[in-house]
Amino acid sequence: MAIQIQLMSWNIQKKTTNAPFIAKLMSKYQIDICALLEVPKKDEFTIPCQIKSQLDNLTPAYHKNNWRSKSVDVGNECVTYIWHEDPLAVNKFKASVYTNSHDVIAGKVVKNINNDKIYFPTTGISWAGLPGKPNGRRPSFMAFETNDGAAIRRFTFLDIHAPFNTDTSIQSYSAHLYASSREIYKVETLDVVSAASAVKSNAIVHMKSKVDSLVPTAVANRDKTRTAAVDAVIKTIQESHTEGNTLV
């Protein structure tokens, strides 16, 4: 049986004082999940907290005390998701979580449906420079699953703040890439960065016999050498978004 979910995308344009308006708007149109665009990194916690506080104090009540939030760093800003998680019932849903870290499954869009890495344009890029490897703002995604007592059905909510350029309309290319995103169909269920970080201390100890034999005795800070090597691996994993198990 299908469930009905109302989605909303809202560009806050770096305004941090309109929480009451957004909360009332969500209530009026019965919004279940809201994605906020152009959230400044410094406000990735305060803005959703302000909105959730307003939502929890609405009259009449609207999913009181059941609001959650997650901010995704997409480059020079964040996309922030706000949603409600109610007890199991008809038309209910909840955020999907990683199998190991139990954090909500959300992040930047990095792959297309062929599992190839995709690169989004910047405001100043020209059509002649595409496809290339521009490092523009990426879409964000967050994964959800039904919570209605029936077999779980999974879905994702992707949102994008396309680059602004009135001369070239380069944002249309962003929309093309956005539509080809792998995260529309499946996402990672293993938090590989968390998994790698969890074994960091063991990896450093394991490297001791390998690294020390290659580093002259006179060289100081062997411990720092091993730690730096492991940190570099973890950083590479984080930047490349190494694939874990996937769900459809």
Side-chain angles (χ1 to χ4, degrees):
M1 179 180 179
I3 68 172
Q4 296 180 354
I5 299 173
Q6 298 276 75
L7 307 178
M8 167 179 161
S9 177
W10 185 266
N11 190 324
I12 64 169
Q13 297 181 328
K14 300 182 180 180
K15 296 177 181 178
T16 60
T17 58
N18 56 352
F21 177 78
I22 293 175
K24 290 179 182 178
L25 191 69
M26 291 175 66
S27 175
K28 176 177 175 59
Y29 291 99
Q30 300 291 287
I31 299 299
D32 299 300
I33 309 172
C34 173
L36 302 174
L37 298 176
E38 274 200 281
V39 177
K41 289 183 181 180
K42 65 181 180 62
D43 298 321
E44 64 177 297
F45 296 108
T46 56
I47 287 178
C49 284
Q50 290 168 356
I51 296 173
K52 288 187 292 184
S53 177
Q54 292 293 326
L55 285 164
D56 286 337
N57 287 283
L58 288 174
T59 302
Y62 184 57
H63 300 285
K64 184 178 178 65
N65 298 326
N66 290 337
W67 292 98
R68 308 288 184 266
S69 64
K70 172 70 175 180
S71 292
V72 177
D73 182 345
V74 293
N76 59 351
E77 59 192 32
C78 294
V79 174
T80 298
Y81 292 91
I82 300 175
W83 72 98
H84 61 80
E85 288 196 7
D86 306 286
L88 185 148
V90 175
N91 273 349
K92 301 306 178 185
F93 66 95
K94 60 183 179 180
S96 295
V97 298
Y98 290 111
T99 55
N100 54 334
S101 67
H102 304 293
D103 191 12
V104 298
I105 299 177
K108 292 185 290 189
V109 169
V110 294
K111 300 287 185 74
N112 63 20
I113 56 177
N114 297 319
N115 222 32
D116 297 322
K117 192 167 183 178
I118 48 180
Y119 301 89
F120 288 82
T122 58
T123 299
I125 199 170
S126 66
W127 285 101
L130 297 175
K133 295 185 178 181
N135 190 27
R137 283 191 300 265
R138 292 182 173 276
S140 69
F141 76 90
M142 184 169 170
F144 297 90
E145 59 191 58
T146 55
N147 189 34
D148 58 357
I152 292 176
R153 286 89 73 208
R154 307 181 190 275
F155 62 96
T156 54
F157 184 0
L158 279 66
D159 208 0
I160 184 173
H161 177 203
F164 180 75
N165 191 319
T166 56
D167 295 326
T168 66
S169 298
I170 202 68
Q171 54 265 39
S172 61
Y173 182 71
S174 287
H176 160 70
L177 294 176
Y178 174 77
S180 71
S181 300
R182 184 208 65 179
E183 285 80 2
I184 293 174
Y185 302 97
K186 57 185 179 181
V187 296
E188 300 170 9
T189 57
L190 175 69
D191 187 340
V192 294
V193 176
S194 177
S197 298
V199 298
K200 175 180 176 178
S201 59
N202 290 337
I204 292 173
V205 172
H206 177 73
M207 286 184 64
K208 185 173 183 178
S209 61
K210 306 297 183 182
V211 174
D212 286 5
S213 63
L214 300 175
V215 179
T217 305
V219 176
N221 298 323
R222 284 176 168 176
D223 287 344
K224 288 186 177 181
T225 299
R226 291 191 295 271
T227 300
V230 174
D231 285 342
V233 171
I234 293 175
K235 182 179 180 180
T236 299
I237 291 173
Q238 185 173 14
E239 291 178 347
S240 63
H241 291 258
T242 302
E243 297 303 300
N245 297 325
T246 57
L247 58 85
V248 175

